[in-house]
Amino acid sequence: MQRIRLLCFNIHGGRSLDGRRDLSRIHGLMQRLDIDIGVFQEMETRHSHGGLVTDVETLAGPERPYRLACPSMEEGEGWYGNLIVSRYPIIRGLLHNLETHPSLEPRHAADALIQGPLGKLRVIGTHLSLSIFERRSEARNLMRLMQAVEEEERSPILLMGDINEWQVPSSLLRYLNRQLTPLPCKPTFPSICPIFRLDRVWHDAPGIKVTAHRLPGEGIRRLSDHLPLVVELEY
């Protein structure tokens, strides 16, 4: 059996609950869990917010040399947004603008086609708005943009990220669940006492066993205001 393991994590700009900013701790978490692909929200490299242009390298390390940065906001060489890092080559990287209202924080999605050991895998990471009206629009825009991509052959799809949807039942979740298969996982926010399922995963991967679970643990709880999800594919 061949396995690919992903980490989906809103890292809160790299700042932990103790106020420290140390991305090497998240790199260490990926090393301990033997993560192949990391899908991050709230990646921060802007100097005015405490970031460094070298933060992507610190987070990914030499073990995951393939990266797809998806800036939502930029400042000189620094940026803030989504990031995908991978042990395997990213053979196509797309940045989807979800057309959020100009008065609000821009929202985007990183769309990486990855050449894994047993074939191609399409991984999409995103972070939707706090506004329910914007979330609905962004989700529909994302599905439209994803489906507009022309591929010579259909690859297994994983969609994951901080969806910011805490209302249940929800027309947004019903819509996404009709497009892709949702994976059950426990609440992730706030990390100290999680009660909201803000971070979610969907897939379209026929013939592959896909599971997701929330990471517990006192040390992990303090890395961010969200808890991470581990997603596993078994071929």
Side-chain angles (χ1 to χ4, degrees):
M1 184 190 316
Q2 181 78 33
R3 182 187 68 188
I4 292 180
R5 180 176 283 179
L6 301 92
L7 184 73
C8 177
F9 198 3
N10 180 329
I11 60 173
H12 193 47
R15 196 172 299 279
S16 63
L17 297 188
D18 59 15
R20 292 176 55 206
R21 192 172 185 282
D22 184 0
L23 290 164
S24 65
R25 292 187 286 187
I26 301 173
H27 173 259
L29 176 65
M30 287 200 289
Q31 291 298 96
R32 292 194 299 275
L33 296 172
D34 192 26
I35 296 296
D36 298 299
I37 301 167
V39 182
F40 298 102
Q41 303 87 53
E42 295 194 18
M43 180 65 192
E44 179 67 86
T45 69
R46 294 174 297 175
H47 186 264
S48 65
H49 289 71
L52 299 169
V53 294
T54 57
D55 282 343
V56 173
E57 180 62 39
T58 302
L59 176 65
E63 302 84 4
R64 297 162 198 86
Y66 306 100
R67 295 89 186 257
L68 177 60
C70 181
S72 294
M73 294 182 282
E74 298 182 81
E75 176 189 276
E77 294 184 353
W79 58 273
Y80 169 88
N82 298 289
L83 173 68
I84 297 177
V85 302
S86 175
R87 182 170 285 162
Y88 307 116
I90 297 176
I91 57 178
R92 187 208 65 216
L94 300 173
L95 310 181
H96 298 307
N97 184 341
L98 304 187
E99 301 177 19
T100 307
H101 192 277
S103 65
L104 301 175
E105 178 184 321
R107 303 289 173 159
H108 294 75
D111 184 342
L113 185 63
I114 298 172
Q115 182 63 62
L118 292 178
K120 297 173 185 175
L121 174 66
R122 190 177 177 190
V123 178
I124 298 103
T126 194
H127 185 187
L128 300 188
S129 286
L130 293 172
S131 162
I132 177 59
F133 303 107
E134 290 302 309
R135 287 198 298 275
R136 292 170 181 166
S137 172
E138 290 160 359
R140 285 173 169 76
N141 287 337
L142 177 56
M143 286 298 129
R144 171 178 55 82
L145 291 165
M146 286 171 54
Q147 293 165 3
V149 176
E150 294 185 5
E151 296 185 283
E152 293 182 0
E153 57 182 347
R154 187 172 179 82
S155 304
I157 295 174
L158 289 174
L159 168 63
M160 63 187 73
D162 180 358
I163 306 303
N164 262 326
E165 181 58 87
W166 56 86
Q167 302 180 67
V168 177
S170 158
S171 61
L172 168 61
L173 295 178
R174 288 196 297 269
Y175 170 74
L176 289 172
N177 292 349
R178 289 195 299 269
Q179 310 303 312
L180 299 165
T181 302
L183 288 175
C185 44
K186 294 180 179 180
T188 54
F189 183 87
S191 57
I192 291 299
C193 182
I195 55 175
F196 298 116
R197 289 183 59 196
L198 301 189
D199 304 275
R200 294 175 179 266
V201 183
W202 289 264
H203 75 91
D204 181 4
I208 302 173
K209 180 182 178 182
V210 188
T211 58
H213 67 273
R214 180 189 71 188
L215 280 179
E218 183 60 28
I220 294 173
R221 290 181 192 277
R222 299 191 174 277
L223 288 177
S224 173
D225 57 348
H226 288 243
L227 289 173
L229 299 175
V230 171
V231 183
E232 292 187 339
L233 288 78
E234 294 182 1
Y235 290 79

